[in-house]
Amino acid sequence: MALFIFTKAILEGHSINVFNKGKIQRDFTYVSDIIGAVTRILDQLPQPGKTSEELITGSATAPFKVYNIGHSSPILLTDFIESIERKLGITAQKNLLPMQPGDVPMTWADTSELQKDFGYRATTTVEEGIGKFLEWYLTYYQVKPRNHRQFNSRRNPQKFPRHATVKTSKTSIND
């Protein structure tokens, strides 16, 4: 969500709210990595424990399990924003704000169970994910920022059809 909100605001010349002056860390995960993890999990569903000892001691494997899916490597919000700016060739107007009540300085996904059970790790770097997202966004919304260039090494970026209900007018970020 942050990537979409920041990109839209930067391209429209609106300022972005940067809490704790950007000195917070978040774990950003590219959608293809999430899909890859989910499909692996669906291919090998957990089974309930079979022995009476497992059932009595509570160590039986439940027929379900919760996994954290993420990149498991938090980055500073300032670095995230700078990557967007660099790739767009536009400096964001930033509202540097204090930490929001109830927020935390760092979050990330502990993916150790996912790695142990499926050997799966997210592979798309934040830089690559931002580049892929921006290529999609600019193509889908037919936006051409100043200093536009290819963000990825792909020679022929996939063109996405426009959806008839998408608003493309200059509107505020809250629309």
Side-chain angles (χ1 to χ4, degrees):
M1 287 242 336
L3 182 52
F4 191 97
I5 291 168
F6 290 167
T7 298
K8 185 175 190 304
I10 292 168
L11 289 170
E12 292 179 357
H14 299 292
S15 60
I16 58 174
N17 290 332
V18 182
F19 293 98
N20 202 35
K21 299 178 182 170
K23 303 303 177 201
I24 56 176
Q25 294 184 26
R26 295 295 181 260
D27 185 13
F28 297 99
T29 310
Y30 190 65
V31 67
S32 292
D33 288 327
I34 295 169
I35 292 166
V38 169
T39 55
R40 280 206 193 179
I41 293 167
L42 289 174
D43 287 342
Q44 183 183 340
L45 297 175
Q47 301 299 312
K50 304 274 187 220
T51 68
S52 59
E53 183 177 327
E54 288 177 316
L55 295 172
I56 292 169
T57 63
S59 64
T61 305
F64 61 88
K65 191 164 184 180
V66 176
Y67 292 99
N68 285 325
I69 301 174
H71 204 275
S72 201
S73 55
I75 67 162
L76 280 170
L77 185 59
T78 52
D79 293 342
F80 182 74
I81 294 167
E82 287 170 6
S83 180
I84 300 168
E85 292 173 321
R86 199 170 36 256
K87 289 179 180 301
L88 289 176
I90 302 170
T91 301
Q93 300 170 36
K94 300 171 198 82
N95 295 325
L96 300 178
L97 302 169
M99 181 76 90
Q100 294 184 92
D103 204 350
V104 294
M106 183 190 307
T107 63
W108 72 97
D110 176 359
T111 60
S112 56
E113 287 295 311
L114 182 64
Q115 291 172 34
K116 182 182 82 166
D117 292 354
F118 298 96
Y120 188 80
R121 286 189 68 104
T123 58
T124 307
T125 67
V126 171
E127 287 281 328
E128 290 171 314
I130 289 172
K132 290 176 182 181
F133 171 82
L134 292 175
E135 283 291 340
W136 169 82
Y137 187 98
L138 297 173
T139 301
Y140 188 84
Y141 291 104
Q142 298 179 350
V143 177
K144 186 159 182 119
R146 59 188 167 202
N147 302 324
H148 173 63
R149 61 189 175 281
Q150 287 295 114
F151 302 117
N152 299 308
S153 59
R154 300 178 297 168
R155 292 180 187 220
N156 297 313
Q158 182 179 359
K159 299 293 182 192
F160 294 90
R162 291 179 48 85
H163 191 279
T165 60
V166 172
K167 290 203 275 187
T168 58
S169 64
K170 299 247 181 204
T171 58
S172 76
I173 201 158
N174 296 321
D175 285 351

